Amino acid sequence: MRVSFLSIALKVMCYSCDEFALSQFQQVPSQKNGFKVGMKLEGIDPSRPALYCVMSVAEVKGFRIRLHFDSYPDAYDFWLNANSPFIFPPGWAEKNGKQLQPPKQYVGVAGAGVFSWATYLKESKAPAAPKHLFANTSVFSVTPHAFRHGMKLEAVDKKNSDALVCVATVADVLGDKILIHFDGWDDIYDYWSDPTSPYLHPVGWCQANGVPLSPPNG
Ligand code: MLZ
C-alpha cells in the first residue's frame, strides 16, 4: 500500500517536472513566423559569430527558417528560430555601427561598386524582410549591463574539450549579449554570451583560484 502510494506520488512529481520542462523550454512559440522564402535580411554567421552577413530566407518550416548566405554555397545554410536575436532587417548594421559583410561580388570593390541595400534589392528583385518580423530590434538601444567593447576578461573556450580559461576581450555588444573573442586567436572560437554566464570571469580570476590561464596566441 505504502509502496503504491509512493509510486503514485513519484509519478505525480515527475509529471509536474515534465510539464515544467515542456512549458519552459519546449513549447512552440505563440508568435507567427511571418518570414517568406526570398526575403533578404542581415544575420550573424553562426560559424563566425563576429560577422553580420547579407542573407536570404531559403526555407520556412513551422517556427524555423533556413537562411542562405547570398553568393555563397548552400552548404553554409543554417536553421534558426524566427524570433532569433541574431537576425536583423536590411539596413540595421549600418544604423547600428556594425560592419556588414556583403555578397562576394562586392567584397574588395571600391567606389560605385560598394554594397548598397537599395541597389541590391532592386537588382535581385527581392523583398527586404519587413522590420516587424524581427523579434528584438528595439531592445538593442538599451544595454542592461556594464560590459563594453574592448574590455578584457578571462573566459572558457567552449570549443576546447579541456575547458581552457583564456585571455579574452569583449569584441561586440548586442543588447543583453556580449561577443567573447580570444586574444590572438581566429574568430571561429568567438561566441555570444549572456554576461551572467559561468564561463566568464574577471581578470585575475585564474590566479586567485589556482586555475591555469591560457595566454593570448602569438
Ligand atoms: N589546440 C588548439 C587550441 C586552441 C585554443 C584556442 N583557445 C581560444 C590550437 O592550438 O589550435
Side-chain angles (χ1 to χ4, degrees):
M1 191 64 185
R2 263 172 64 189
V3 171
S4 72
F5 173 75
L6 189 66
S7 72
I8 290 169
L10 278 174
K11 257 187 203 144
V12 169
M13 275 166 64
C14 288
Y15 177 73
S16 318
C17 291
D18 286 352
E19 209 177 35
F20 177 75
L22 265 175
S23 65
Q24 291 297 299
F25 306 113
Q26 291 172 300
Q27 246 174 22
V28 174
S30 53
Q31 307 102 293
K32 202 175 158 295
N33 180 358
F35 287 98
K36 299 274 176 289
V37 170
M39 285 178 174
K40 295 204 184 286
L41 49 84
E42 300 175 358
I44 288 180
D45 179 347
S47 314
R48 290 197 177 265
L51 304 182
Y52 298 81
C53 306
V54 171
M55 299 179 182
S56 299
V57 178
E59 197 176 340
V60 178
K61 269 214 160 80
F63 202 61
R64 306 278 284 168
I65 55 178
R66 177 162 62 88
L67 292 182
H68 172 78
F69 291 85
D70 283 25
S71 80
Y72 290 91
D74 293 352
Y76 295 112
D77 289 8
F78 64 99
W79 287 91
L80 80 181
N81 283 346
N83 64 349
S84 163
F86 297 121
I87 51 175
F88 316 91
W92 183 92
E94 193 181 0
K95 213 164 120 199
N96 289 274
K98 316 282 188 194
Q99 203 193 331
L100 183 66
Q101 307 297 319
K104 235 192 225 151
Q105 62 270 31
Y106 296 92
V107 175
V109 183
V114 166
F115 179 78
S116 128
W117 265 117
T119 315
Y120 183 62
L121 289 171
K122 215 180 286 164
E123 276 173 6
S124 43
K125 296 188 174 63
K131 284 195 180 68
H132 72 266
L133 297 182
F134 294 85
N136 49 10
T137 41
S138 58
V139 175
F140 297 146
S141 54
V142 182
T143 304
H145 54 76
F147 285 91
R148 294 293 177 267
H149 186 269
M151 286 179 171
K152 298 283 179 198
L153 70 161
E154 298 176 2
V156 174
D157 172 3
K158 292 205 262 182
K159 283 225 159 76
N160 205 294
S161 52
D162 298 328
L164 293 177
V165 185
C166 310
V167 173
T169 303
V170 176
D172 198 357
V173 178
L174 206 49
D176 61 351
K177 289 178 193 59
I178 56 176
L179 181 68
I180 304 301
H181 174 73
F182 296 99
D183 290 26
W185 293 95
D186 192 277
D187 61 10
I188 55 157
Y189 298 104
D190 290 11
Y191 59 88
W192 284 97
S193 175
D194 187 291
T196 63
S197 164
Y199 292 123
L200 311 183
H201 308 289
V203 168
W205 181 87
C206 279
Q207 197 180 16
N209 289 277
V211 173
L213 175 65
S214 182
N217 188 30

